[in-house]
Every structure is written in C-alpha cells, then in structure tokens.
Amino acid sequence: MKGRTIFLQLVLAVVGVATIVIAAIPVPIMLHRLVTTAPPVAVGPTWSFVVGMIILILAFLVAVGLAEGLLRVIARGQAFSPQALRLLIELKWAVGVMAVGAICWLPWCTALRNSTTRLAWC
C-alpha cells in the first residue's frame, strides 16, 4: 500500500509543479493579450474569465495539497480517521471552488461566440 501512495504523491507533486510552471509563464502572457485586445463589448466578460482562471488555478493547487495530505494520512493507516474525513471535506470544497472558477468563464465564452471579430490570440 505504501508503494501506491508514494507513487500517487509523486504524481501529485509533478502535477503541482507543472501547474505552477504553466500558471507562471504562459497564463499571464495569454491573459495580458486577452485583456489588451478584447473588443469594448467583451471587457466585462474578459475580466470574468481572468478572475475565473485565477480562482481555478489557486483552488487546484489547494486541492493538490489537500490530496497529498490525505494520502499521507492513508499511508499511516488512518483512512477513516477524523483527520482524513476533514481533509476529504476540504478537498470537496476545493473542487467546488474550481467549478465556480470555471463557471466564471461562461460570460466570456458567450461573448466570444457572439463576437464578429476574432481576438488576436485565438
């Protein structure tokens, strides 16, 4: 069992580092281009997309940390302890916040679909 949890912890660490790298390098460039080239009609939806993206990235990183903590508790053989249940509940809330971040993209997607001009980065 410990071998499986170590493997999963390694995968979570790789995913967390990859998320940080992606969030630090291409995402700010994409968001800057999006905000500076947005047509006047799509300024509000564009900022909604930017805020949603930031919420989604931060909530994902929190979820990765909580999942790793949950794996540590499971590796100690305390899978059904109060600490494990608390971590599971917090993980559920982090995933819910990720969904809210994704919902923030909807106005932008609608504005882009209804737009007659293409954005520069599309």
Side-chain angles (χ1 to χ4, degrees), residues 6 14 28 31 38 48-49 57-58 62 72-73 89-90 94 98 100 104 110 117 122:
I6 290 173
V14 169
L31 294 179
S48 175
F49 178 80
I57 290 170
L58 293 176
V62 168
R72 273 193 245 129
V73 170
I89 290 169
E90 290 175 3
M98 287 170 30
V100 169
C104 289
T110 304
T117 60
C122 289

Side-chain angles (χ1 to χ4, degrees), residues 47-104:
W47 280 106
S48 175
F49 178 80
V50 170
V51 169
M53 180 71 82
I54 293 169
I55 289 171
L56 187 70
I57 290 170
L58 293 176
F60 182 78
L61 290 173
V62 168
V64 166
L66 290 170
E68 197 212 334
L70 184 61
L71 283 173
R72 273 193 245 129
V73 170
I74 291 170
R76 288 194 310 249
Q78 301 172 344
F80 297 104
S81 67
Q83 182 184 12
L85 294 176
R86 182 185 54 80
L87 285 169
L88 195 59
I89 290 169
E90 290 175 3
L91 182 62
K92 175 187 71 168
W93 280 104
V95 171
V97 171
M98 287 170 30
V100 169
I103 288 171
C104 289

